[in-house]
Amino acid sequence: MRRFVGAIPVAVASLLICGASATVHGDGQGPDENRQLALARAATARFHNPAVALAEHYVDLGPNPEEGGAIEYVNFDLIFSCTLDVEHPQALRYVPSGNGLRLIAVEYAIPIPCSPTPPEDFLPGVGEWETEPNAPAWMMAVYIWSGRSQQKAEGHD
């Protein structure tokens, strides 16, 4: 776990979901990264049921047009903590599937006031941290629950 300390403007939380973020598939990494991604999969498997995400303080923000309409659930407590932990992503991405939602990705986000530079030592080599206009945060989405072909179909590749 990595802890960042700093003031966080309230506006950051509402802006985080407005932008796109770097995406990776979580396959073909080095052994350490693959171990961390396996931890992320194990820790987030329970979120295949969106009701569990809601019970654990994720908020359904609905479709995000910047992410191809993926439905985003965000845990603002995790954002405000200024902490990055592979087992506790700040956001979850779902797509409609059948009569429900299917989890496709986790997203890590850290407000820039907490980390003025990209947190390159968190999941190194897995993806690139990006900032977005109107969202003063570093963000990285990791598609650990979706195959490459599904992402291409959804415009996430």
Side-chain angles (χ1 to χ4, degrees):
M1 183 170 9
R2 181 169 178 194
R3 182 107 174 128
F4 296 91
V5 180
I8 304 171
V10 173
V12 170
S14 63
L15 295 172
L16 282 176
I17 58 97
C18 294
S21 60
T23 59
V24 298
H25 303 295
D27 295 321
Q29 305 301 317
D32 188 51
E33 290 81 11
N34 281 334
R35 181 189 60 74
Q36 290 180 64
L37 293 172
L39 287 173
R41 284 183 193 100
T44 60
R46 67 189 185 278
F47 297 131
H48 284 289
N49 179 348
V52 173
L54 292 172
E56 292 190 27
H57 307 287
Y58 284 85
V59 177
D60 178 359
L61 298 178
N64 182 344
E66 297 293 327
E67 297 298 341
I71 298 163
E72 298 204 337
Y73 282 45
V74 176
N75 185 318
F76 293 106
D77 292 336
L78 292 174
I79 291 170
F80 289 138
S81 75
C82 286
T83 301
L84 290 172
D85 179 342
V86 72
E87 297 180 274
H88 297 95
Q90 283 73 17
L92 306 167
R93 285 202 193 141
Y94 295 89
V95 293
S97 178
N99 292 327
L101 297 175
R102 182 172 55 87
L103 180 62
I104 60 168
V106 297
E107 183 171 342
Y108 300 98
I110 185 108
I112 289 174
C114 300
S115 179
T117 59
E120 300 294 343
D121 60 341
F122 181 80
L123 290 175
V126 171
E128 292 184 32
W129 290 92
E130 294 182 350
T131 60
E132 302 300 328
N134 304 320
W138 301 108
M139 294 178 267
M140 179 174 56
V142 183
Y143 284 79
I144 58 175
W145 295 109
S146 178
R148 191 173 206 34
S149 61
Q150 180 65 35
Q151 287 182 58
K152 284 183 181 179
E154 295 166 359
H156 294 298
D157 195 276

